[in-house]
PDB file of all heavy atoms in Angstrom:
ATOM      1  N   GLN A 120     -37.128  22.647   0.673  1.00  0.00           N
ATOM      2  CA  GLN A 120     -36.155  23.742   0.589  1.00  0.00           C
ATOM      3  C   GLN A 120     -37.002  25.038   0.941  1.00  0.00           C
ATOM      4  O   GLN A 120     -36.374  25.895   1.735  1.00  0.00           O
ATOM      5  CB  GLN A 120     -35.578  23.911  -0.838  1.00  0.00           C
ATOM      6  CG  GLN A 120     -34.682  22.720  -1.227  1.00  0.00           C
ATOM      7  CD  GLN A 120     -33.347  22.765  -0.494  1.00  0.00           C
ATOM      8  OE1 GLN A 120     -33.001  23.761   0.102  1.00  0.00           O
ATOM      9  NE2 GLN A 120     -32.593  21.637  -0.608  1.00  0.00           N
ATOM     10  N   GLN A 121     -38.132  25.285   0.449  1.00  0.00           N
ATOM     11  CA  GLN A 121     -38.876  26.516   0.636  1.00  0.00           C
ATOM     12  C   GLN A 121     -39.420  26.592   2.013  1.00  0.00           C
ATOM     13  O   GLN A 121     -39.308  27.687   2.703  1.00  0.00           O
ATOM     14  CB  GLN A 121     -40.039  26.622  -0.379  1.00  0.00           C
ATOM     15  CG  GLN A 121     -39.695  26.765  -1.797  1.00  0.00           C
ATOM     16  CD  GLN A 121     -40.880  26.708  -2.669  1.00  0.00           C
ATOM     17  OE1 GLN A 121     -41.912  27.224  -2.357  1.00  0.00           O
ATOM     18  NE2 GLN A 121     -40.755  26.160  -3.932  1.00  0.00           N
ATOM     19  N   LEU A 122     -39.982  25.483   2.615  1.00  0.00           N
ATOM     20  CA  LEU A 122     -40.703  25.602   3.838  1.00  0.00           C
ATOM     21  C   LEU A 122     -39.990  25.049   5.030  1.00  0.00           C
ATOM     22  O   LEU A 122     -40.327  25.394   6.123  1.00  0.00           O
ATOM     23  CB  LEU A 122     -41.986  24.822   3.619  1.00  0.00           C
ATOM     24  CG  LEU A 122     -42.960  25.342   2.612  1.00  0.00           C
ATOM     25  CD1 LEU A 122     -44.160  24.445   2.397  1.00  0.00           C
ATOM     26  CD2 LEU A 122     -43.433  26.699   2.912  1.00  0.00           C
ATOM     27  N   LEU A 123     -38.951  24.218   4.781  1.00  0.00           N
ATOM     28  CA  LEU A 123     -38.245  23.691   5.922  1.00  0.00           C
ATOM     29  C   LEU A 123     -36.818  24.127   5.894  1.00  0.00           C
ATOM     30  O   LEU A 123     -35.992  23.606   6.714  1.00  0.00           O
ATOM     31  CB  LEU A 123     -38.260  22.099   5.857  1.00  0.00           C
ATOM     32  CG  LEU A 123     -39.707  21.505   5.999  1.00  0.00           C
ATOM     33  CD1 LEU A 123     -39.577  19.975   5.906  1.00  0.00           C
ATOM     34  CD2 LEU A 123     -40.379  21.941   7.238  1.00  0.00           C
ATOM     35  N   SER A 124     -36.410  25.021   5.031  1.00  0.00           N
ATOM     36  CA  SER A 124     -35.030  25.483   4.895  1.00  0.00           C
ATOM     37  C   SER A 124     -34.079  24.302   4.702  1.00  0.00           C
ATOM     38  O   SER A 124     -32.999  24.259   5.305  1.00  0.00           O
ATOM     39  CB  SER A 124     -34.659  26.285   6.143  1.00  0.00           C
ATOM     40  OG  SER A 124     -35.486  27.394   6.298  1.00  0.00           O
ATOM     41  N   GLY A 125     -34.448  23.331   3.817  1.00  0.00           N
ATOM     42  CA  GLY A 125     -33.587  22.292   3.489  1.00  0.00           C
ATOM     43  C   GLY A 125     -34.174  20.884   3.649  1.00  0.00           C
ATOM     44  O   GLY A 125     -35.275  20.658   4.024  1.00  0.00           O
ATOM     45  N   MET A 126     -33.308  19.825   3.339  1.00  0.00           N
ATOM     46  CA  MET A 126     -33.683  18.528   3.282  1.00  0.00           C
ATOM     47  C   MET A 126     -33.482  17.912   4.736  1.00  0.00           C
ATOM     48  O   MET A 126     -32.873  18.473   5.574  1.00  0.00           O
ATOM     49  CB  MET A 126     -32.863  17.679   2.366  1.00  0.00           C
ATOM     50  CG  MET A 126     -33.005  17.974   0.910  1.00  0.00           C
ATOM     51  SD  MET A 126     -31.794  17.083  -0.069  1.00  0.00           S
ATOM     52  CE  MET A 126     -32.165  15.347   0.343  1.00  0.00           C
ATOM     53  N   ARG A 127     -34.129  16.762   4.885  1.00  0.00           N
ATOM     54  CA  ARG A 127     -33.979  15.960   6.145  1.00  0.00           C
ATOM     55  C   ARG A 127     -33.416  14.577   5.742  1.00  0.00           C
ATOM     56  O   ARG A 127     -33.913  14.022   4.760  1.00  0.00           O
ATOM     57  CB  ARG A 127     -35.251  15.789   6.893  1.00  0.00           C
ATOM     58  CG  ARG A 127     -36.014  17.097   7.348  1.00  0.00           C
ATOM     59  CD  ARG A 127     -35.127  17.845   8.345  1.00  0.00           C
ATOM     60  NE  ARG A 127     -35.908  18.844   9.074  1.00  0.00           N
ATOM     61  CZ  ARG A 127     -35.956  20.144   8.719  1.00  0.00           C
ATOM     62  NH1 ARG A 127     -35.364  20.536   7.629  1.00  0.00           N
ATOM     63  NH2 ARG A 127     -36.738  20.986   9.415  1.00  0.00           N
ATOM     64  N   LEU A 128     -32.383  14.083   6.463  1.00  0.00           N
ATOM     65  CA  LEU A 128     -31.902  12.822   6.155  1.00  0.00           C
ATOM     66  C   LEU A 128     -31.740  11.991   7.428  1.00  0.00           C
ATOM     67  O   LEU A 128     -31.601  12.506   8.494  1.00  0.00           O
ATOM     68  CB  LEU A 128     -30.423  12.930   5.575  1.00  0.00           C
ATOM     69  CG  LEU A 128     -30.225  13.445   4.180  1.00  0.00           C
ATOM     70  CD1 LEU A 128     -28.769  13.374   3.819  1.00  0.00           C
ATOM     71  CD2 LEU A 128     -31.041  12.586   3.143  1.00  0.00           C
ATOM     72  N   SER A 129     -31.899  10.673   7.188  1.00  0.00           N
ATOM     73  CA  SER A 129     -31.608   9.754   8.325  1.00  0.00           C
ATOM     74  C   SER A 129     -30.383   8.928   7.946  1.00  0.00           C
ATOM     75  O   SER A 129     -30.339   8.366   6.836  1.00  0.00           O
ATOM     76  CB  SER A 129     -32.827   8.878   8.563  1.00  0.00           C
ATOM     77  OG  SER A 129     -32.517   7.824   9.530  1.00  0.00           O
ATOM     78  N   LEU A 130     -29.352   8.925   8.798  1.00  0.00           N
ATOM     79  CA  LEU A 130     -28.092   8.212   8.439  1.00  0.00           C
ATOM     80  C   LEU A 130     -27.751   7.236   9.528  1.00  0.00           C
ATOM     81  O   LEU A 130     -27.689   7.556  10.726  1.00  0.00           O
ATOM     82  CB  LEU A 130     -27.035   9.329   8.410  1.00  0.00           C
ATOM     83  CG  LEU A 130     -25.698   8.994   7.754  1.00  0.00           C
ATOM     84  CD1 LEU A 130     -25.866   8.634   6.281  1.00  0.00           C
ATOM     85  CD2 LEU A 130     -24.733  10.208   7.836  1.00  0.00           C
ATOM     86  N   THR A 131     -27.578   5.996   9.187  1.00  0.00           N
ATOM     87  CA  THR A 131     -27.220   4.957  10.161  1.00  0.00           C
ATOM     88  C   THR A 131     -25.816   4.535   9.874  1.00  0.00           C
ATOM     89  O   THR A 131     -25.439   4.069   8.723  1.00  0.00           O
ATOM     90  CB  THR A 131     -28.171   3.718   9.991  1.00  0.00           C
ATOM     91  OG1 THR A 131     -29.533   4.172  10.137  1.00  0.00           O
ATOM     92  CG2 THR A 131     -27.923   2.681  11.037  1.00  0.00           C
ATOM     93  N   LEU A 132     -25.019   4.512  10.887  1.00  0.00           N
ATOM     94  CA  LEU A 132     -23.592   4.268  10.769  1.00  0.00           C
ATOM     95  C   LEU A 132     -23.103   3.209  11.821  1.00  0.00           C
ATOM     96  O   LEU A 132     -23.628   3.112  12.818  1.00  0.00           O
ATOM     97  CB  LEU A 132     -22.752   5.595  10.956  1.00  0.00           C
ATOM     98  CG  LEU A 132     -22.971   6.743  10.147  1.00  0.00           C
ATOM     99  CD1 LEU A 132     -22.135   7.918  10.500  1.00  0.00           C
ATOM    100  CD2 LEU A 132     -22.833   6.463   8.628  1.00  0.00           C
ATOM    101  N   ARG A 133     -22.092   2.386  11.413  1.00  0.00           N
ATOM    102  CA  ARG A 133     -21.379   1.651  12.368  1.00  0.00           C
ATOM    103  C   ARG A 133     -20.212   2.398  12.775  1.00  0.00           C
ATOM    104  O   ARG A 133     -19.289   2.646  12.060  1.00  0.00           O
ATOM    105  CB  ARG A 133     -20.960   0.324  11.720  1.00  0.00           C
ATOM    106  CG  ARG A 133     -20.416  -0.687  12.716  1.00  0.00           C
ATOM    107  CD  ARG A 133     -20.124  -2.085  12.126  1.00  0.00           C
ATOM    108  NE  ARG A 133     -21.261  -2.668  11.508  1.00  0.00           N
ATOM    109  CZ  ARG A 133     -22.211  -3.281  12.091  1.00  0.00           C
ATOM    110  NH1 ARG A 133     -22.199  -3.429  13.425  1.00  0.00           N
ATOM    111  NH2 ARG A 133     -23.225  -3.826  11.401  1.00  0.00           N
ATOM    112  N   VAL A 134     -20.272   2.926  14.073  1.00  0.00           N
ATOM    113  CA  VAL A 134     -19.303   3.887  14.535  1.00  0.00           C
ATOM    114  C   VAL A 134     -18.312   3.271  15.558  1.00  0.00           C
ATOM    115  O   VAL A 134     -17.420   3.952  15.985  1.00  0.00           O
ATOM    116  CB  VAL A 134     -19.961   5.048  15.184  1.00  0.00           C
ATOM    117  CG1 VAL A 134     -20.813   5.796  14.206  1.00  0.00           C
ATOM    118  CG2 VAL A 134     -20.835   4.628  16.378  1.00  0.00           C
ATOM    119  N   GLY A 135     -18.458   2.013  15.963  1.00  0.00           N
ATOM    120  CA  GLY A 135     -17.665   1.414  17.011  1.00  0.00           C
ATOM    121  C   GLY A 135     -18.205   1.774  18.357  1.00  0.00           C
ATOM    122  O   GLY A 135     -19.158   2.613  18.481  1.00  0.00           O
ATOM    123  N   LYS A 136     -17.691   1.241  19.452  1.00  0.00           N
ATOM    124  CA  LYS A 136     -18.362   1.447  20.724  1.00  0.00           C
ATOM    125  C   LYS A 136     -18.131   2.852  21.219  1.00  0.00           C
ATOM    126  O   LYS A 136     -18.950   3.324  22.042  1.00  0.00           O
ATOM    127  CB  LYS A 136     -17.646   0.472  21.760  1.00  0.00           C
ATOM    128  CG  LYS A 136     -18.066  -1.016  21.464  1.00  0.00           C
ATOM    129  CD  LYS A 136     -17.529  -1.963  22.505  1.00  0.00           C
ATOM    130  CE  LYS A 136     -17.925  -3.347  22.294  1.00  0.00           C
ATOM    131  NZ  LYS A 136     -17.462  -4.331  23.352  1.00  0.00           N
ATOM    132  N   ASP A 137     -17.124   3.550  20.830  1.00  0.00           N
ATOM    133  CA  ASP A 137     -16.798   4.886  21.407  1.00  0.00           C
ATOM    134  C   ASP A 137     -16.785   5.977  20.349  1.00  0.00           C
ATOM    135  O   ASP A 137     -16.247   7.033  20.502  1.00  0.00           O
ATOM    136  CB  ASP A 137     -15.503   4.844  22.157  1.00  0.00           C
ATOM    137  CG  ASP A 137     -15.541   3.859  23.327  1.00  0.00           C
ATOM    138  OD1 ASP A 137     -16.476   3.814  24.080  1.00  0.00           O
ATOM    139  OD2 ASP A 137     -14.468   3.135  23.421  1.00  0.00           O
ATOM    140  N   GLY A 138     -17.429   5.681  19.170  1.00  0.00           N
ATOM    141  CA  GLY A 138     -17.298   6.589  18.042  1.00  0.00           C
ATOM    142  C   GLY A 138     -18.471   7.499  17.819  1.00  0.00           C
ATOM    143  O   GLY A 138     -18.479   8.242  16.790  1.00  0.00           O
ATOM    144  N   HIS A 139     -19.391   7.523  18.691  1.00  0.00           N
ATOM    145  CA  HIS A 139     -20.626   8.283  18.502  1.00  0.00           C
ATOM    146  C   HIS A 139     -20.398   9.778  18.386  1.00  0.00           C
ATOM    147  O   HIS A 139     -20.863  10.507  17.422  1.00  0.00           O
ATOM    148  CB  HIS A 139     -21.676   8.056  19.588  1.00  0.00           C
ATOM    149  CG  HIS A 139     -22.175   6.554  19.662  1.00  0.00           C
ATOM    150  ND1 HIS A 139     -21.342   5.541  20.013  1.00  0.00           N
ATOM    151  CD2 HIS A 139     -23.363   6.080  19.338  1.00  0.00           C
ATOM    152  CE1 HIS A 139     -22.048   4.463  19.969  1.00  0.00           C
ATOM    153  NE2 HIS A 139     -23.223   4.680  19.621  1.00  0.00           N
ATOM    154  N   ALA A 140     -19.631  10.321  19.359  1.00  0.00           N
ATOM    155  CA  ALA A 140     -19.258  11.738  19.381  1.00  0.00           C
ATOM    156  C   ALA A 140     -18.497  12.121  18.163  1.00  0.00           C
ATOM    157  O   ALA A 140     -18.719  13.125  17.520  1.00  0.00           O
ATOM    158  CB  ALA A 140     -18.576  12.094  20.676  1.00  0.00           C
ATOM    159  N   ARG A 141     -17.412  11.272  17.783  1.00  0.00           N
ATOM    160  CA  ARG A 141     -16.590  11.612  16.723  1.00  0.00           C
ATOM    161  C   ARG A 141     -17.466  11.660  15.465  1.00  0.00           C
ATOM    162  O   ARG A 141     -17.215  12.503  14.544  1.00  0.00           O
ATOM    163  CB  ARG A 141     -15.495  10.588  16.617  1.00  0.00           C
ATOM    164  CG  ARG A 141     -14.357  10.895  15.613  1.00  0.00           C
ATOM    165  CD  ARG A 141     -13.173  10.067  15.784  1.00  0.00           C
ATOM    166  NE  ARG A 141     -13.392   8.619  15.593  1.00  0.00           N
ATOM    167  CZ  ARG A 141     -13.298   8.042  14.339  1.00  0.00           C
ATOM    168  NH1 ARG A 141     -12.871   8.750  13.350  1.00  0.00           N
ATOM    169  NH2 ARG A 141     -13.488   6.726  14.288  1.00  0.00           N
ATOM    170  N   ALA A 142     -18.325  10.672  15.264  1.00  0.00           N
ATOM    171  CA  ALA A 142     -19.147  10.668  14.067  1.00  0.00           C
ATOM    172  C   ALA A 142     -20.064  11.882  13.970  1.00  0.00           C
ATOM    173  O   ALA A 142     -20.208  12.522  12.873  1.00  0.00           O
ATOM    174  CB  ALA A 142     -20.040   9.420  14.058  1.00  0.00           C
ATOM    175  N   GLY A 143     -20.596  12.259  15.115  1.00  0.00           N
ATOM    176  CA  GLY A 143     -21.476  13.499  15.114  1.00  0.00           C
ATOM    177  C   GLY A 143     -20.628  14.695  14.771  1.00  0.00           C
ATOM    178  O   GLY A 143     -21.145  15.563  13.936  1.00  0.00           O
ATOM    179  N   GLN A 144     -19.407  14.855  15.275  1.00  0.00           N
ATOM    180  CA  GLN A 144     -18.622  16.025  14.887  1.00  0.00           C
ATOM    181  C   GLN A 144     -18.192  15.974  13.371  1.00  0.00           C
ATOM    182  O   GLN A 144     -18.192  17.010  12.739  1.00  0.00           O
ATOM    183  CB  GLN A 144     -17.301  16.015  15.750  1.00  0.00           C
ATOM    184  CG  GLN A 144     -17.527  16.214  17.162  1.00  0.00           C
ATOM    185  CD  GLN A 144     -16.313  16.081  18.064  1.00  0.00           C
ATOM    186  OE1 GLN A 144     -15.243  15.691  17.565  1.00  0.00           O
ATOM    187  NE2 GLN A 144     -16.369  16.422  19.347  1.00  0.00           N
ATOM    188  N   LEU A 145     -17.992  14.808  12.855  1.00  0.00           N
ATOM    189  CA  LEU A 145     -17.602  14.715  11.411  1.00  0.00           C
ATOM    190  C   LEU A 145     -18.783  15.170  10.577  1.00  0.00           C
ATOM    191  O   LEU A 145     -18.622  15.902   9.683  1.00  0.00           O
ATOM    192  CB  LEU A 145     -17.336  13.235  11.107  1.00  0.00           C
ATOM    193  CG  LEU A 145     -17.170  12.914   9.613  1.00  0.00           C
ATOM    194  CD1 LEU A 145     -15.842  13.452   9.138  1.00  0.00           C
ATOM    195  CD2 LEU A 145     -17.195  11.386   9.341  1.00  0.00           C
ATOM    196  N   LEU A 146     -20.020  14.661  10.858  1.00  0.00           N
ATOM    197  CA  LEU A 146     -21.149  15.031  10.093  1.00  0.00           C
ATOM    198  C   LEU A 146     -21.494  16.589  10.231  1.00  0.00           C
ATOM    199  O   LEU A 146     -21.846  17.216   9.264  1.00  0.00           O
ATOM    200  CB  LEU A 146     -22.393  14.250  10.570  1.00  0.00           C
ATOM    201  CG  LEU A 146     -22.328  12.713  10.426  1.00  0.00           C
ATOM    202  CD1 LEU A 146     -23.477  12.020  11.086  1.00  0.00           C
ATOM    203  CD2 LEU A 146     -22.213  12.347   8.987  1.00  0.00           C
ATOM    204  N   SER A 147     -21.321  17.145  11.395  1.00  0.00           N
ATOM    205  CA  SER A 147     -21.519  18.565  11.583  1.00  0.00           C
ATOM    206  C   SER A 147     -20.607  19.394  10.771  1.00  0.00           C
ATOM    207  O   SER A 147     -20.889  20.538  10.355  1.00  0.00           O
ATOM    208  CB  SER A 147     -21.363  18.916  13.054  1.00  0.00           C
ATOM    209  OG  SER A 147     -22.307  18.211  13.836  1.00  0.00           O
TER     210      SER A 147
END
């Protein structure tokens, strides 16, 4: 929090063949 201005996460999702952009928008 102090040095990196927050946490880092790795998130693996099953998004379907065309759901990558939609998943990215959701997470944002």
Side-chain angles (χ1 to χ4, degrees):
Q120 294 284 350
Q121 294 174 35
L122 299 173
L123 299 180
S124 301
M126 294 173 58
R127 302 294 197 266
L128 288 183
S129 176
L130 195 64
T131 304
L132 304 178
R133 190 175 301 281
V134 297
K136 292 185 178 180
D137 301 317
H139 297 69
R141 187 166 66 88
Q144 292 174 355
L145 172 73
L146 297 173
S147 298

